[in-house]
Amino acid sequence: MLIDARNVTKAFGAFRAVDDASVSVEEGDILGLIGPNGAGKSTFFNCLTGDLPVTSGSVSFAGADVTRLPPEARAKLGLARTFQVPLTFESMSVLDNATIGALLRHHTAREARAKARDVLQRVGLGHVTDAPARSLGTPGRKRLEIARALASEPKALLLDEAMAGLTPTEVRDAIELVRRIHGDGITIVIVEHIMEVIVSLAQRVVVFHQGREIARGTPREVTSDPKVIEAYLGRRKVRHA
Amino acid sequence: QPAPVKIGVIYPLSGNSASAGNYSKMAIEVGADVINNGNAELAKIIPLAKGGGLPGLGGAKIQLIFADNQGTPAAGQNQALRLISEEKVAALIGAYQSGITLTASAIAERHGLPFLTAESVAANLTERGFKWFFRTTPVAIDFARAYSTFLKEQKAAGQKVGAIALVHENTEYGNSVASVIADQFGKDGLPITQKIAYSANSSDVQPQVLQLKEKNPDVVIFISYTSDAILYAKTMKELNWKPSIMIADNAGFNDPAFLKAMGSTVEGLVNRSAYSGGKPGSVPAIFNELYKAKAGVELDDVSVRGLQGFLVLADAINRAGSTDPAKIQAALRATNLPAEQMAAGYDGVKFDDKGQNVLASSVVTQLQGGKYVTIFPKARATANVILPYKGW
Amino acid sequence: MSITLVQVIVSGLLLGAVYALFSSGLTLIWGMMNVVNFAHGDFVMLGMYAAVMIWTALGGGPFAAVPVAAMLIATLGIVSYFLLVRHIMRGPMLAQILGTFGLALFLRYSAFWYFGADFKTLPDTIVGGSFVLGGVRFEGSRVLAGGMGLAITLALHLILTRTAIGSRMLAVSEDATAAQLMGIRPQRMQALAWAMAGAATGIAGALIANFFYTSPTVGETLAIIAFVTVSFGGFGSVLGALVAGLIIGVVESLSAYLIGPVYKDVVVYILFVLVLWFRPQGLMGKA
Amino acid sequence: MSALLRIEHLEVRYGDLIGVADVSLEVPAGSVVALLGSNGSGKTTTLNAIAGIVPVSAGTVAFDGENIAGQPAYAIVRKGLALSPEGWRLFTQQSVENNLLLGATPLSDRKRIPQLLERVYAVFPRLAERRNQRAGTMSGGERQMLAVGRALMSEPKLLLLDEPSLGLAPAIVDSMYDAFAALHKDGQTILLAEQSVDLALEAADYAYVLQVGRSVLQGPATEMAHNPDVQKIYLGIE
Amino acid sequence: MKRYLFPGALVVLALVYPLLVAGSPVWERLGALVLLGAIGASAWNIVGGYAGQVSVGHSVFFGFGAYSAVVVYTHLGWPPIAGAPLGMVLSVLLAAIIGVPTLRLAGHYFSMATIAVAELVRVLSSTSEFLGGAQGLGGPAMPRTVFDLSFISATPFYYIFLAVLAFLLGLTWWIERGRMGFYLRAIKDSERAARSLGVSSGRYKLYAYMLSGAFTSLAGSLYLCMFGFVDPESGFGILISVKMVVMAALGGAGVLFGPLVGALILVPLEELSNSYLGGRGAGLTFVVYGAIIVIIARFLPSGLLSLFERRPARPPAAKNQPASGHAD
Ligand SMILES: Nc1ncnc2c1ncn2[C@@H]1O[C@H](COP(=O)(O)OP(=O)(O)OP(=O)(O)O)[C@@H](O)[C@H]1O
Ligand SMILES: Nc1ncnc2c1ncn2[C@@H]1O[C@H](COP(=O)(O)OP(=O)(O)OP(=O)(O)O)[C@@H](O)[C@H]1O
Ligand SMILES: [Mg+2]
Ligand SMILES: [Mg+2]
């Protein structure tokens, strides 16, 4: 079990954004996490990464209880993430952004930079390494976040709507990219509203609604679950698949 | 016409003490004007006042070069160096705040140039073994003795001085004066029952006045700069409390700004001053007229001390007959000015080998009808003591 | 409780309301445009001079001085905004410190040059003396200042949180471009913010002048108090400034009375650091 | 139908970089026009240039017959135009409802505000539930709803929507597009940038395709849906 | 090649400057003052510029340095410069004590907290007898040995300061290019993102703060050696802190040579305006000084060195949606 979250609750005042959720991810898995807007997916991510302290429950990663660890300690253990609202280092070049990630496992700036170049190439940002990060559009930033996370050579990668805003063709490329990342032995948890992504990538899917898990199973199983259709997919779900 | 003699004057012309610095500046300008252009009346008493510059240097005029110490020791020292090396002044005078005098005079010492302080009172200034440093002003112990004798005299005359409160601001000036007064009073058996230290430039002094009001001492001695002096005077009136003798140690309470602002509410305030007023025709009285015409206010403790320091320096340069620093130094050492030539209320000027003026002294004054008049020592008094303190 | 202690607390509260008043302009400028105005104390100082001038030149009391000072400092705010602040906002946060510090020196010493270094005070007959209530003495000028302080800070608070114009100003402060998409003219709102802050500051100055000395450097003393009050209460929160001002006023008064005046600042600063330790955004600031 | 918006040879530069090189398009009154194009093709830049939040370096933007290029955004917006921008640009410190009310700033008829609020709340019930929540604490999708809702609040003549479906759950996308369809029926003019081609072409009357900052293809939406070139462009074949 | 032209010219000019102005004590001293200012501002730059933590209370370290130097003289009779290492060690400790609570604070709150701490220390120092209270303490009035660094000319100070500055800038340059430099910039841009990549932001900010404090303290010790006196105001006063910030901001914060450029402008401006205008006593010095700062801030808000930068493409709107919410 690489990631194991037990009975995680996150409350903002009286409102429970995540309500007693237990999710575990095996090493080598691709887990899809879906659910309507405001279901608590991002909040749950933040609890896993330590960006938000849990109200109750526990999180363990790679066998260690990390519930009380700050985000940077979890990152050092190999937990990487992207943000739904991109948080790139705007004053830096694309290359430097990725270098920050690479410095986690590389001692010198020179080595880190080489690693960063490598990763940028792989995610398809090889042609803009010297551009300032702020000149990228939202999708570009999200891609840069993936590169940055990969450069830190994580065991697990949490992707929060990393493909939002891509055209169908680009989505297909991105799916390929995630497959390749997965192929390198990185465990992936992915939040996405584009069902095509979930269906073609995820081995298992967990569905959240109002902070609670309402379904889990293979993509096929959950997309035909009437509860999921009712709460999330809506009548015309076919269009997205 | 010989080249003018340059004298460097370093004062706080900006920053929190700028008010004092600017008044002193005007007083010294009055002094230079008297020496350069003469004043018939003064010439009867002071030889240098005949006009036509310094006779000892063939009638060289005095040129004042002012510099602003900005209230910082660094600026004071930088300006001292500039005056010495660029302006090639013959001697320096300044710098009001003791800390700045300390750093500025160190430069003069290294360059071998006389430095005279007319108002810095910190004791350690003359303890440094400097050879080029002179001080004309009385220091804290002189003030303390004056108060002590004055109070003992009042006690003998039937005033209550059973409980004395000391209120002082917490910078160098207030702390040092307060501790010297406390020492002296201790020796003289005057009981200090309450000591209140506060930070200068307060935004509010009500708590302090309330503390006073509660203990209700007979005598309060304030050691405060202008801004706080004003606040105390205002607040005491607001809270309607007054001691039977209110003594203000100079500084803030002597500031013309304080008088302008609060004069009518502190009638009967006792103060000490180097300025003793004096009868018409006396040196202080004449200088006061000249100064009033220029500055619009009366001479006071700070301005008169600056003026006196300048006059001493001018006299020494004149006697040196040269701008050679060593000769001026020697002339300063030999200074011996009598009391009647004094603009300030000193007993004269004569330096000991540390450079301190051994004839420096203070008079005690009282605010009567909006003006400070000398009430102590008897020999100099121009009016009688009126007690208890009237206030507003 | 002894009557003196009550007196101490009352005077602390009145002082605190005044702190709140002259801090409200600072917090407003911060809240509206993320600018810390290092010249704030000097704005207060100019407001004080306005009152002094109106008294010495025209013999007018606070009822004349307050509106005039408000208008003068509001104008100064607008001018500073258009000539300086608008431009430094393009730069990093440090540019604000640089620019407003320069402005502070410029204003402080322009006043010095024009008014001289002298301390000025208003005759305390202007706001009729003092009165006693239940053994506690109230001074007219302080009650007036404290009362106006309360009223004005509350009014500012309501304007910011309850009105459309307040909401627009806040919108501009957060994202001027997005505000333009709402049809809001950012510069107009920001100039308005500077005018409002200036007016509040001018009023503060005119009222303080009734019981405080006026000098070109007085702003320095006041500015540090304002900075502490504003961060104590939470940047951008006028209500926070009010609460913080009252707390600081009372704490200062009490510690000066009970521990000793030298330590009152020590107590206030320690309290301030403690507050930030437990509430890094200040008492009422937004996280 | 007369053109409510007509853009000719629009060019936008970001310093040395070119955001949009040459875009021309027309939005007739009452129509829904879709703007398609791959990542970085210039859709956002075009919409932002129309609204005036990025400066136009060449070309004309005629709105209601008047060239608005170079005018400040607030002036343009007041002429009857609203944009739901990329990145939402919400006022995160203010409540959801305040954000919506701010959207109504250009509205001259203040009495319409309650009605308009209700309309937005009907499309996005989540916003009604959270009307007092601070916008900055909303989830990504909720923010998207709020951005679109806010643009609807001024009853603009021309509604500019930059990827309104981004980050929304499928069910919400459906109801939002239903709402657009209803608006369209009431005569609302909409210019819409979407990554999701199917969705856009279903909603639009007419579509333009941008490629590296140029408008390269155009046609009625129904035709475009079957146009192999559209697919080509999305496949990146030049 | 061109990159090295500016620093190269600076180095050469710096080395020969005292020769160029030999014979003019004022100009010799001015050189030393500029360097001293640059040391302080460059030290500040490490935490204020690179890490983006705008301390407006750095005088606390400056004062520690100055007092350490004078205290070893007053209480132990050592030459003041011997207090410099002590001051640096104490400042590192102090930085840790102040930094842990305050570096968590965001933006202006940090600035204000640092002001408060500095004021606190200032008030306390004025009540401490050990530190000479409000009177302050003076160094050796008369030089006893050469180690008292009591020179008539400022040139020896000039070269001492130059060496210190060179070392400090070299260190900063080395940091800038290495891991810590990357991390500090990352923290400045987005602390949250940096932490997600394993950057221990608290630790790195603290390192920067401690390093900065140590060198600011050294500047204070050097100041004392040159001026020979410190009191609470000239050691811990807020103006000392503000000047460091203003110098760095004027030249360009977070840029290696920014503080030096700032000092090169500001210190001579201050000295010359005081020399030429100060004596009139109308406050004109500061009217001019203030006006010039205002003008520079107005036209070059990012500092003078931004003139030489290649203009980066500015985003159309400087503000992105701030990542203040949790819902992402
Ligand atoms: N600080 C907060 N205070 C109150 N409510 C909050 C706060 N932060 C988040 N929420 C609420 O918690 C809920 C969960 O948000 P979260 O971002 O986890 O949703 P999500 O599943 O990621 O949605 P989306 O798909 O739209 O991104 C949302 O309804 C949001 O409004
Ligand atoms: N602030 C900026 N600075 C520099 N270049 C920019 C900026 N914003 C956009 N660009 C560039 O302008 C071009 C057009 O970008 P734009 O964001 O308009 O594309 P888009 O079609 O909206 O794509 P997306 O799918 O990314 O939203 C891109 O090459 C982009 O890199
Ligand atoms: Mg989310
Ligand atoms: Mg876009």
Side-chain angles (χ1 to χ4, degrees):
Chain A
M1 207 70 72
L2 187 61
I3 303 174
D4 191 12
R6 297 223 174 149
N7 309 102
V8 167
T9 295
K10 178 69 205 178
F12 299 107
F15 175 72
R16 291 170 174 234
V18 176
D19 192 358
D20 197 26
S22 296
V23 175
S24 59
V25 190
E26 296 285 351
E27 187 147 4
D29 247 4
I30 300 185
L31 175 74
L33 185 57
I34 60 174
N37 298 119
K41 306 179 293 294
S42 301
T43 307
F44 183 65
F45 261 26
N46 286 333
C47 292
L48 293 184
T49 58
D51 281 65
L52 286 175
V54 295
T55 308
S56 65
S58 70
V59 179
S60 70
F61 180 72
D65 183 1
V66 297
T67 315
R68 304 265 158 255
L69 289 188
E72 58 267 31
R74 301 189 203 198
K76 282 175 192 154
L77 289 175
L79 185 62
R81 71 168 300 173
T82 66
F83 294 93
Q84 184 172 2
V85 183
L87 285 178
T88 43
F89 304 119
E90 300 284 279
S91 74
M92 295 188 208
S93 68
V94 167
L95 180 62
D96 284 357
N97 264 271
T99 306
I100 304 280
L103 276 166
L104 184 60
R105 315 262 177 231
H106 293 269
H107 223 75
T108 66
R110 178 195 299 258
E111 284 167 27
R113 201 175 275 125
K115 169 78 188 175
R117 258 184 227 288
D118 192 46
V119 174
L120 288 172
Q121 208 66 51
R122 275 201 0 190
V123 304
L125 288 171
H127 59 293
V128 290
T129 50
D130 293 328
R134 61 170 168 263
S135 71
L136 300 179
T138 307
R141 283 184 192 159
K142 291 194 165 176
R143 191 161 281 225
L144 178 54
E145 287 205 340
I146 297 180
R148 213 167 57 173
L150 285 180
S152 73
E153 298 171 35
K155 291 201 183 80
L157 177 59
L158 311 185
L159 298 171
D160 195 351
E161 296 197 32
M163 298 179 202
L166 299 184
T167 60
T169 323
E170 291 160 349
V171 168
R172 241 155 271 149
D173 289 348
I175 290 174
E176 272 322 300
L177 174 64
V178 175
R179 283 225 175 89
R180 266 182 287 137
I181 295 170
H182 180 238
D184 292 346
I186 296 174
T187 307
I188 289 170
V189 185
I190 183 164
V191 167
E192 204 60 70
H193 289 298
I194 306 170
M195 289 315 291
E196 185 190 350
V197 175
I198 297 295
V199 170
S200 52
L201 276 175
Q203 293 150 352
R204 290 192 308 124
V205 178
V206 173
V207 187
F208 269 28
H209 181 47
Q210 294 178 345
R212 296 176 158 272
E213 178 187 317
I214 54 164
R216 71 165 70 200
T218 64
R220 292 256 155 263
E221 285 164 11
V222 295
T223 47
S224 50
D225 186 326
K227 272 189 308 213
V228 177
I229 295 174
E230 167 67 28
Y232 179 57
L233 293 173
R235 312 154 263 127
R236 290 193 295 178
K237 68 167 169 118
V238 266
R239 195 170 57 193
H240 301 282
Chain B
Q1 178 75 17
V5 175
K6 291 184 180 178
I7 294 181
V9 187
I10 303 172
Y11 271 133
L13 300 176
S14 61
N16 278 325
S17 306
S19 176
N22 279 294
Y23 282 117
S24 295
K25 173 175 182 271
M26 285 188 278
I28 290 183
E29 281 167 345
V30 166
D33 187 53
V34 164
I35 292 176
N36 288 341
N37 304 317
N39 178 291
E41 270 187 274
L42 278 174
K44 290 177 209 154
I45 316 170
I46 301 179
L48 272 185
K50 293 199 178 69
L54 299 170
L57 285 90
K61 301 261 158 130
I62 285 178
Q63 185 186 349
L64 298 170
I65 314 282
F66 288 98
D68 180 8
N69 72 27
Q70 301 184 329
T72 72
Q77 194 175 84
N78 296 340
Q79 289 303 312
L81 180 72
R82 179 178 70 88
L83 293 176
I84 295 169
S85 65
E86 303 270 283
E87 301 286 353
K88 312 256 187 275
V89 298
L92 285 169
I93 183 167
Y96 192 71
Q97 299 99 323
S98 291
I100 305 180
T101 300
L102 189 100
T103 59
S105 60
I107 281 281
E109 186 75 13
R110 274 176 223 165
H111 283 80
L113 200 85
F115 189 108
L116 187 145
T117 185
E119 52 280 279
S120 299
V121 297
N124 60 353
L125 285 174
T126 45
E127 300 301 324
R128 295 177 295 171
F130 277 17
K131 299 190 174 59
W132 300 86
F133 185 73
F134 299 88
R135 169 154 67 187
T136 49
T137 181
V139 290
I141 188 70
D142 301 312
F143 313 152
R145 289 201 187 108
Y147 294 139
S148 174
T149 330
F150 169 74
L151 284 178
K152 280 188 285 188
E153 211 170 82
Q154 295 314 310
K155 195 174 171 186
Q159 286 293 332
K160 264 183 72 183
V161 293
I164 302 172
L166 206 52
V167 181
H168 65 94
E169 60 93 31
N170 188 35
T171 73
E172 158 238 324
Y173 157 65
N175 273 347
S176 60
V177 174
S179 66
V180 172
I181 291 182
D183 278 358
Q184 184 67 34
F185 279 27
K187 281 185 210 149
D188 294 351
L190 289 166
I192 294 195
T193 52
Q194 201 176 1
K195 248 184 119 167
I196 301 178
Y198 69 92
S199 331
N201 294 319
S202 304
S203 51
D204 185 37
V205 299
Q206 290 217 19
Q208 287 94 296
V209 175
L210 285 168
Q211 281 176 330
L212 289 173
K213 187 171 178 176
E214 212 174 37
K215 291 254 167 68
N216 201 23
D218 309 314
V219 182
V220 184
I221 303 180
F222 284 98
I223 306 161
S224 303
Y225 285 124
T226 312
S227 57
D228 302 315
I230 293 174
L231 274 186
Y232 275 110
K234 284 199 157 208
T235 309
M236 284 169 72
K237 182 177 175 206
E238 274 164 29
L239 295 174
N240 194 24
W241 178 79
K242 55 192 164 195
S244 51
I245 302 179
M246 172 152 153
I247 299 180
D249 184 72
N250 185 289
F253 293 89
N254 238 336
D255 189 322
F258 171 80
L259 289 183
K260 253 192 259 172
M262 302 308 305
S264 58
T265 60
V266 287
E267 175 73 11
L269 177 69
V270 174
N271 205 326
R272 61 121 173 132
S273 182
Y275 177 66
S276 62
K279 301 170 184 72
S282 68
V283 175
I286 302 168
F287 268 119
N288 189 33
E289 288 311 311
L290 296 173
Y291 178 75
K292 217 156 77 180
K294 184 176 179 88
V297 294
E298 310 249 337
L299 266 179
D300 64 1
D301 179 76
V302 171
S303 46
V304 85
R305 282 191 290 161
L307 170 64
Q308 185 61 63
F310 164 78
L311 292 173
V312 170
L313 192 57
D315 166 70
I317 295 173
N318 184 47
R319 280 184 289 109
S322 150
T323 53
D324 176 8
K327 292 201 175 126
I328 300 175
Q329 182 199 32
L332 276 166
R333 286 246 166 83
T335 298
N336 190 356
L337 292 172
E340 67 267 20
Q341 284 192 22
M342 293 290 103
Y346 304 159
D347 299 326
V349 178
K350 192 173 179 177
F351 295 108
D352 63 14
D353 42 346
K354 287 178 177 169
Q356 172 63 36
N357 174 17
V358 293
L359 299 178
S361 63
S362 274
V363 298
V364 174
T365 59
Q366 188 173 34
L367 201 61
Q368 295 183 2
K371 276 177 100 166
Y372 278 117
V373 294
T374 306
I375 52 169
F376 176 88
K378 281 266 153 49
R380 295 229 173 121
T382 54
N384 291 325
V385 187
I386 303 174
L387 285 174
Y389 172 57
K390 176 167 175 289
W392 44 94
Chain C
M1 210 175 352
S2 79
I3 198 74
T4 320
L5 211 55
V6 176
Q7 176 82 61
V8 168
I9 292 172
V10 165
S11 73
L13 282 173
L14 286 175
L15 186 70
V18 175
Y19 285 176
L21 176 58
F22 71 70
S23 305
S24 62
L26 186 67
T27 204
L28 199 65
I29 289 302
W30 160 259
M32 294 301 100
M33 39 217 312
N34 297 349
V35 168
V36 167
N37 181 13
F38 271 71
H40 180 75
D42 301 280
F43 279 41
V44 181
M45 176 269 296
L46 290 174
M48 295 171 78
Y49 269 111
V52 170
M53 289 296 281
I54 283 163
W55 170 253
T56 46
L58 309 169
F63 295 104
V66 163
V68 175
M71 263 165 51
L72 276 177
I73 309 303
T75 312
L76 176 68
I78 295 174
V79 171
S80 308
Y81 170 71
F82 278 108
L83 292 186
L84 176 66
V85 176
R86 191 160 64 106
H87 305 283
I88 56 180
M89 284 174 64
R90 284 185 287 119
M93 177 257 211
L94 279 173
Q96 305 164 12
I97 298 187
L98 186 65
T100 55
F101 172 70
L103 181 64
L105 285 184
F106 179 78
L107 294 177
R108 190 176 307 163
Y109 283 95
S110 298
F112 188 103
W113 169 76
Y114 187 77
F115 297 106
D118 276 5
F119 291 83
K120 309 239 157 67
T121 55
L122 292 177
D124 43 14
T125 47
I126 293 195
V127 191
S130 50
F131 54 92
V132 180
L133 212 86
V136 179
R137 179 172 286 272
F138 292 83
E139 195 215 345
S141 57
R142 281 178 194 254
V143 171
L144 178 68
M148 290 275 279
L150 275 174
I152 290 172
T153 40
L154 282 176
L156 282 177
H157 171 71
L158 291 178
I159 290 175
L160 286 188
T161 54
R162 298 288 148 81
T163 67
I165 202 89
S167 162
R168 285 177 203 171
M169 288 167 77
L170 285 169
V172 170
S173 93
E174 198 176 325
D175 187 337
T177 310
Q180 287 205 46
L181 287 177
M182 310 294 107
I184 300 168
R185 283 182 81 155
Q187 299 209 345
R188 211 174 255 189
M189 286 299 141
Q190 293 180 329
L192 182 65
W194 277 82
M196 275 167 62
T201 309
I203 294 172
L207 291 171
I208 295 171
N210 286 318
F211 57 88
F212 207 65
Y213 63 91
T214 301
S215 84
T217 51
V218 67
E220 253 181 320
T221 312
L222 299 179
I224 292 189
I225 299 173
F227 283 146
V228 171
T229 310
V230 164
S231 21
F232 197 117
F235 276 103
S237 166
V238 176
L239 205 59
L242 179 58
V243 174
L246 294 175
I247 292 176
I248 291 176
V250 171
V251 167
E252 259 191 17
S253 242
L254 278 178
S255 50
Y257 178 72
L258 297 174
I259 310 177
V262 176
Y263 295 100
K264 70 174 188 192
D265 296 332
V266 174
V267 175
V268 169
Y269 291 134
I270 289 176
L271 182 68
F272 170 58
V273 173
L274 281 181
V275 165
L276 288 190
W277 175 282
F278 291 107
R279 271 192 74 85
Q281 70 276 38
L283 286 179
M284 307 214 166
K286 288 170 192 140
Chain D
M1 268 196 286
S2 67
L4 180 62
L5 178 79
R6 182 193 312 257
I7 297 177
E8 280 164 3
H9 307 298
L10 176 74
E11 186 196 270
V12 176
R13 288 167 176 279
Y14 296 108
D16 303 341
L17 301 168
I18 293 198
V20 156
D22 181 4
V23 167
S24 300
L25 59 82
E26 248 185 60
V27 182
S31 68
V32 173
V33 173
L35 208 50
L36 307 175
S38 60
N39 192 333
S41 59
K43 304 179 296 293
T44 297
T45 304
T46 304
L47 293 183
N48 286 352
I50 296 168
I53 57 176
V54 299
V56 172
S57 42
T60 55
V61 179
F63 180 64
D64 240 354
E66 177 193 359
N67 185 8
I68 55 170
Q71 294 191 14
Y74 62 83
I76 294 173
V77 166
R78 288 182 195 166
K79 294 184 202 300
L81 186 148
L83 168 68
S84 160
E86 181 176 79
W88 317 310
R89 312 201 74 149
L90 301 178
F91 304 110
T92 57
Q93 304 292 340
Q94 301 199 48
S95 67
V96 166
E97 187 149 303
N98 261 3
N99 269 273
L100 293 174
L101 292 175
L102 281 164
T105 309
L107 202 66
S108 49
D109 183 4
R110 311 301 294 172
K111 286 203 268 326
R112 297 261 307 129
I113 289 178
Q115 253 172 293
L116 290 170
L117 261 184
E118 283 320 308
R119 187 174 81 177
V120 171
Y121 286 150
V123 182
F124 302 116
R126 171 60 56 88
L127 297 183
E129 284 168 34
R130 303 293 173 84
R131 62 178 77 199
N132 293 319
Q133 186 171 327
R134 200 145 59 81
T137 61
M138 301 284 275
S139 84
E142 290 163 349
R143 293 189 204 197
Q144 179 66 58
M145 298 174 205
L146 184 51
V148 172
R150 190 178 64 176
L152 290 172
M153 284 298 293
S154 64
E155 286 205 301
K157 286 189 218 156
L158 173 62
L159 184 59
L160 305 174
L161 299 167
D162 197 346
E163 297 187 38
S165 69
L166 186 112
L168 292 182
I172 304 288
V173 173
D174 288 343
S175 61
M176 181 176 74
Y177 268 87
D178 288 348
F180 293 160
L183 285 170
H184 184 195
K185 230 169 82 198
D186 294 347
Q188 174 74 55
T189 316
I190 300 176
L191 175 59
L192 175 79
E194 262 295 358
Q195 304 283 19
S196 171
V197 186
D198 304 345
L199 210 51
L201 292 181
E202 200 182 309
D205 304 317
Y206 202 83
Y208 290 83
V209 177
L210 303 189
Q211 194 179 17
V212 282
R214 291 167 197 279
S215 37
V216 291
L217 264 180
Q218 63 182 78
T222 43
E223 274 174 35
M224 296 291 275
H226 308 291
N227 187 334
D229 287 340
V230 173
Q231 304 301 324
K232 247 191 204 170
I233 284 167
Y234 280 103
L235 284 166
I237 303 163
E238 303 208 9
Chain E
M1 204 49 235
K2 238 181 125 186
R3 282 180 56 208
Y4 298 104
L5 216 60
F6 177 64
L10 262 182
V11 167
V12 173
L13 189 69
L15 284 173
V16 302
Y17 174 82
L19 305 178
L20 298 179
V21 300
S24 164
V26 167
W27 285 92
E28 284 172 10
R29 174 172 270 250
L30 187 60
L33 293 176
V34 167
L35 293 177
L36 186 59
I39 293 171
S42 298
W44 178 89
N45 198 29
I46 297 173
V47 70
Y50 287 101
Q53 308 297 312
V54 178
S55 161
V56 195
H58 249 47
S59 62
V60 85
F61 302 116
F62 186 88
F64 255 62
Y67 271 106
S68 296
V70 81
V71 158
V72 299
Y73 164 73
T74 314
H75 296 285
L76 302 173
W78 297 357
I81 191 69
L86 174 70
M88 291 174 80
V89 170
L90 288 178
S91 289
V92 167
L93 291 178
L94 182 71
I97 296 169
I98 304 175
V100 169
T102 58
L103 283 168
R104 302 174 314 140
L105 302 174
H108 291 282
Y109 287 101
F110 174 71
S111 307
M112 292 305 143
T114 54
I115 292 185
V117 171
E119 283 291 290
L120 182 66
V121 172
R122 185 180 65 81
V123 177
L124 287 178
S125 71
S126 70
T127 59
S128 155
E129 227 159 88
F130 183 72
L131 299 181
Q135 282 98 319
L137 290 173
M142 302 295 236
R144 303 164 302 172
T145 64
V146 66
F147 295 110
D148 279 346
L149 304 185
S150 208
F151 312 114
I152 293 185
S153 153
T155 301
F157 283 117
Y158 179 90
Y159 283 109
I160 294 172
F161 295 172
L162 188 62
V164 171
L165 181 65
F167 176 77
L168 177 55
L169 290 183
L171 183 68
T172 312
W173 179 76
W174 180 75
I175 288 172
E176 187 182 349
R177 292 177 60 250
R179 168 188 301 266
M180 182 148 161
F182 275 99
Y183 278 7
L184 291 182
R185 277 188 294 151
I187 292 166
K188 188 173 168 181
D189 271 7
S190 168
E191 187 164 344
R192 187 163 172 217
R195 294 180 73 181
S196 83
L197 296 169
V199 179
S200 305
S201 61
R203 187 131 52 88
Y204 278 93
K205 284 196 283 187
L206 196 60
Y207 289 161
Y209 194 51
M210 294 195 295
L211 194 65
S212 175
F215 279 93
T216 308
S217 165
L218 181 57
S221 298
L222 295 174
Y223 165 88
L224 188 105
C225 291
M226 181 159 173
F227 288 96
F229 173 77
V230 66
D231 62 8
E233 193 58 44
S234 58
F236 297 115
I238 186 171
L239 203 63
I240 314 254
S241 313
V242 173
K243 273 190 184 161
M244 282 184 231
V245 182
V246 166
M247 253 178 237
L250 193 77
V255 185
L256 187 61
F257 288 104
L260 176 58
V261 170
L264 276 168
I265 307 286
L266 220 57
V267 174
L269 176 64
E270 191 179 347
E271 292 303 318
L272 296 179
S273 61
N274 189 24
S275 294
Y276 291 111
L277 300 169
R280 294 189 202 164
L284 278 178
T285 317
F286 288 107
V287 175
V288 172
Y289 182 74
I292 290 176
I293 292 177
V294 166
I295 289 167
I296 295 175
R298 154 75 177 76
F299 290 100
L300 292 168
S302 303
L304 279 166
L305 283 186
S306 65
L307 268 183
F308 302 99
E309 258 172 37
R310 248 200 52 207
R311 277 289 152 85
R314 276 211 167 271
K319 283 183 189 169
N320 280 292
Q321 192 95 336
S324 53
H326 289 309
D328 47 6

